[in-house]
Amino acid sequence: MRSPRYILEYMLHGRGPFTSPGGAEGVAFVKTNISFTPSDYPDIELVMGTGAYNNDESGTLRATIGITDEFYHNTYGSILGKHAFSVSPILMRPKSRGRIMLKSANPFHWPRMEGNFYADYDDLVVLREGVKLTVDLIESRSFRGVGATAAQHTVLWL
Protein backbone atom coordinates (compact mmCIF):
# COMPACT_ATOMS: atom_id res chain seq x y z
CA MET A 1 0.00 0.00 0.00
CA ARG A 2 2.94 2.33 0.55
CA SER A 3 4.19 1.93 -3.00
CA PRO A 4 3.51 4.83 -5.41
CA ARG A 5 2.68 2.14 -7.97
CA TYR A 6 -0.66 1.44 -6.25
CA ILE A 7 -1.59 5.11 -6.09
CA LEU A 8 -0.88 5.52 -9.80
CA GLU A 9 -2.74 2.32 -10.62
CA TYR A 10 -5.79 3.69 -8.83
CA MET A 11 -5.53 7.22 -10.22
CA LEU A 12 -4.93 6.18 -13.83
CA HIS A 13 -6.89 2.93 -14.16
CA GLY A 14 -9.26 2.76 -11.17
CA ARG A 15 -7.79 -0.59 -10.09
CA GLY A 16 -5.73 -1.97 -7.23
CA PRO A 17 -5.87 -2.06 -3.45
CA PHE A 18 -7.18 1.52 -3.13
CA THR A 19 -10.49 0.40 -4.67
CA SER A 20 -11.19 -1.57 -1.50
CA PRO A 21 -13.38 0.16 1.14
CA GLY A 22 -11.00 0.85 4.01
CA GLY A 23 -9.89 -2.66 4.83
CA ALA A 24 -13.35 -4.26 4.99
CA GLU A 25 -13.20 -6.54 1.97
CA GLY A 26 -16.10 -8.68 3.10
CA VAL A 27 -19.09 -8.17 5.36
CA ALA A 28 -21.69 -10.68 6.51
CA PHE A 29 -24.79 -10.00 8.59
CA VAL A 30 -25.70 -13.12 10.55
CA LYS A 31 -28.47 -14.23 12.86
CA THR A 32 -27.17 -16.49 15.62
CA ASN A 33 -29.05 -19.49 16.98
CA ILE A 34 -29.51 -17.85 20.39
CA SER A 35 -30.51 -14.42 19.13
CA PHE A 36 -32.61 -12.07 21.25
CA THR A 37 -33.60 -9.89 18.27
CA PRO A 38 -36.70 -10.17 16.05
CA SER A 39 -36.59 -12.90 13.42
CA ASP A 40 -35.72 -10.56 10.54
CA TYR A 41 -32.82 -8.79 12.36
CA PRO A 42 -29.24 -10.05 12.22
CA ASP A 43 -27.46 -9.79 15.54
CA ILE A 44 -23.82 -10.21 14.45
CA GLU A 45 -21.82 -8.53 11.70
CA LEU A 46 -18.66 -10.29 10.52
CA VAL A 47 -16.17 -7.81 9.09
CA MET A 48 -13.44 -9.45 7.04
CA GLY A 49 -10.18 -7.77 6.09
CA THR A 50 -6.99 -8.74 4.32
CA GLY A 51 -4.76 -7.48 7.11
CA ALA A 52 -4.14 -8.32 10.73
CA TYR A 53 -2.27 -6.93 13.72
CA ASN A 54 0.76 -9.12 13.03
CA ASN A 55 1.54 -6.85 10.05
CA ASP A 56 1.23 -3.55 11.90
CA GLU A 57 4.82 -2.53 11.15
CA SER A 58 4.20 1.17 11.74
CA GLY A 59 2.51 0.61 15.11
CA THR A 60 -0.50 2.71 14.11
CA LEU A 61 -3.16 0.08 14.82
CA ARG A 62 -1.74 -0.99 18.15
CA ALA A 63 -1.30 2.61 19.28
CA THR A 64 -4.95 3.29 18.43
CA ILE A 65 -6.19 0.65 20.86
CA GLY A 66 -3.36 0.83 23.38
CA ILE A 67 -1.41 -2.37 22.69
CA THR A 68 2.05 -2.13 24.23
CA ASP A 69 5.12 -3.16 22.25
CA GLU A 70 5.78 -5.91 24.81
CA PHE A 71 2.27 -7.37 24.42
CA TYR A 72 2.49 -7.04 20.63
CA HIS A 73 5.78 -8.93 20.37
CA ASN A 74 4.78 -11.58 22.93
CA THR A 75 1.49 -12.20 21.13
CA TYR A 76 2.47 -11.88 17.47
CA GLY A 77 6.23 -12.50 17.55
CA SER A 78 6.04 -15.92 15.93
CA ILE A 79 3.85 -14.70 13.04
CA LEU A 80 5.22 -11.20 12.41
CA GLY A 81 5.26 -10.41 8.70
CA LYS A 82 3.35 -13.55 7.67
CA HIS A 83 0.27 -13.44 5.46
CA ALA A 84 -2.85 -12.95 7.54
CA PHE A 85 -6.44 -11.81 7.42
CA SER A 86 -8.91 -10.88 10.10
CA VAL A 87 -12.55 -11.60 10.79
CA SER A 88 -14.11 -9.45 13.50
CA PRO A 89 -17.51 -10.32 14.95
CA ILE A 90 -19.45 -7.19 15.92
CA LEU A 91 -22.56 -7.10 18.08
CA MET A 92 -25.27 -5.40 16.01
CA ARG A 93 -27.95 -4.58 18.58
CA PRO A 94 -26.50 -4.54 22.08
CA LYS A 95 -28.86 -4.35 25.03
CA SER A 96 -26.22 -2.57 27.14
CA ARG A 97 -26.36 1.20 27.05
CA GLY A 98 -23.59 3.64 27.82
CA ARG A 99 -23.66 7.37 28.41
CA ILE A 100 -21.95 10.43 27.05
CA MET A 101 -21.90 13.62 29.11
CA LEU A 102 -20.31 17.03 28.95
CA LYS A 103 -17.35 17.56 31.28
CA SER A 104 -17.83 21.31 31.37
CA ALA A 105 -19.32 24.25 29.51
CA ASN A 106 -16.13 24.45 27.44
CA PRO A 107 -16.96 23.09 23.96
CA PHE A 108 -13.31 22.11 23.43
CA HIS A 109 -13.18 19.65 26.35
CA TRP A 110 -13.54 15.98 25.46
CA PRO A 111 -16.86 14.60 26.69
CA ARG A 112 -17.00 12.03 29.47
CA MET A 113 -17.92 8.66 28.03
CA GLU A 114 -19.03 5.56 29.90
CA GLY A 115 -19.17 2.64 27.48
CA ASN A 116 -20.97 0.30 29.89
CA PHE A 117 -20.02 -2.56 27.56
CA TYR A 118 -21.54 -5.94 28.42
CA ALA A 119 -23.57 -4.58 31.32
CA ASP A 120 -26.30 -6.84 29.96
CA TYR A 121 -25.07 -10.44 30.00
CA ASP A 122 -27.10 -11.26 26.86
CA ASP A 123 -24.66 -9.11 24.84
CA LEU A 124 -21.77 -11.30 25.89
CA VAL A 125 -23.73 -14.48 25.13
CA VAL A 126 -24.57 -13.32 21.59
CA LEU A 127 -21.03 -12.08 20.91
CA ARG A 128 -19.65 -15.42 22.09
CA GLU A 129 -21.81 -17.06 19.40
CA GLY A 130 -20.35 -14.60 16.90
CA VAL A 131 -16.83 -15.71 17.87
CA LYS A 132 -17.88 -19.35 17.42
CA LEU A 133 -19.25 -18.51 13.96
CA THR A 134 -15.97 -16.79 13.12
CA VAL A 135 -13.91 -19.83 14.12
CA ASP A 136 -16.26 -22.15 12.20
CA LEU A 137 -15.87 -19.95 9.12
CA ILE A 138 -12.09 -19.92 9.30
CA GLU A 139 -12.00 -23.69 9.85
CA SER A 140 -14.42 -24.36 6.96
CA ARG A 141 -13.39 -26.41 3.93
CA SER A 142 -13.25 -23.28 1.74
CA PHE A 143 -10.84 -21.47 4.03
CA ARG A 144 -8.77 -24.61 4.65
CA GLY A 145 -8.45 -24.88 0.87
CA VAL A 146 -6.36 -21.71 0.84
CA GLY A 147 -4.32 -22.73 3.89
CA ALA A 148 -6.14 -20.61 6.47
CA THR A 149 -6.05 -21.52 10.14
CA ALA A 150 -7.38 -19.82 13.25
CA ALA A 151 -4.49 -18.29 15.16
CA GLN A 152 -4.16 -19.30 18.79
CA HIS A 153 -3.95 -15.68 19.99
CA THR A 154 -7.45 -14.93 18.68
CA VAL A 155 -8.89 -15.84 22.07
CA LEU A 156 -6.91 -13.05 23.75
CA TRP A 157 -9.27 -10.49 22.25
CA LEU A 158 -12.37 -11.87 23.96
Side-chain angles (χ1 to χ4, degrees):
M1 292 296 288
R2 296 182 197 148
S3 170
R5 171 184 154 218
Y6 296 123
I7 296 169
L8 287 172
E9 186 177 9
Y10 176 72
M11 298 298 285
L12 299 174
H13 305 289
R15 292 190 305 256
F18 284 104
T19 59
S20 184
E25 283 79 19
V27 178
F29 296 95
V30 183
K31 180 125 180 107
T32 64
N33 292 333
I34 52 99
S35 179
F36 298 102
T37 59
S39 62
D40 59 341
Y41 282 26
D43 50 0
I44 292 289
E45 176 184 12
L46 298 179
V47 179
M48 298 165 233
T50 57
Y53 285 108
N54 70 309
N55 289 313
D56 183 26
E57 296 168 3
S58 69
T60 307
L61 288 174
R62 54 192 135 129
T64 301
I65 62 171
I67 295 176
T68 66
D69 286 340
E70 178 184 9
F71 180 85
Y72 179 75
H73 289 287
N74 287 340
T75 304
Y76 300 105
S78 64
I79 58 170
L80 288 177
K82 293 188 178 182
H83 292 295
F85 64 93
S86 58
V87 182
S88 303
I90 298 170
L91 190 62
M92 294 291 295
R93 291 175 172 79
K95 290 182 177 182
S96 303
R97 294 289 178 254
R99 293 191 269 177
I100 185 165
M101 296 158 281
L102 297 177
K103 281 186 181 177
S104 71
N106 181 344
F108 298 104
H109 279 171
W110 288 97
R112 190 171 90 209
M113 295 181 275
E114 296 174 7
N116 208 24
F117 302 109
Y118 310 117
D120 191 304
Y121 184 72
D122 288 347
D123 290 347
L124 193 55
V125 171
V126 173
L127 188 57
R128 182 180 61 209
E129 290 304 305
V131 171
K132 289 177 184 178
L133 284 169
T134 300
V135 172
D136 288 347
L137 174 69
I138 294 168
E139 292 178 346
S140 70
R141 183 181 325 201
S142 297
F143 276 74
R144 273 195 319 258
V146 295
T149 59
Q152 294 299 321
H153 63 270
T154 305
V155 177
L156 293 174
W157 298 105
L158 300 178

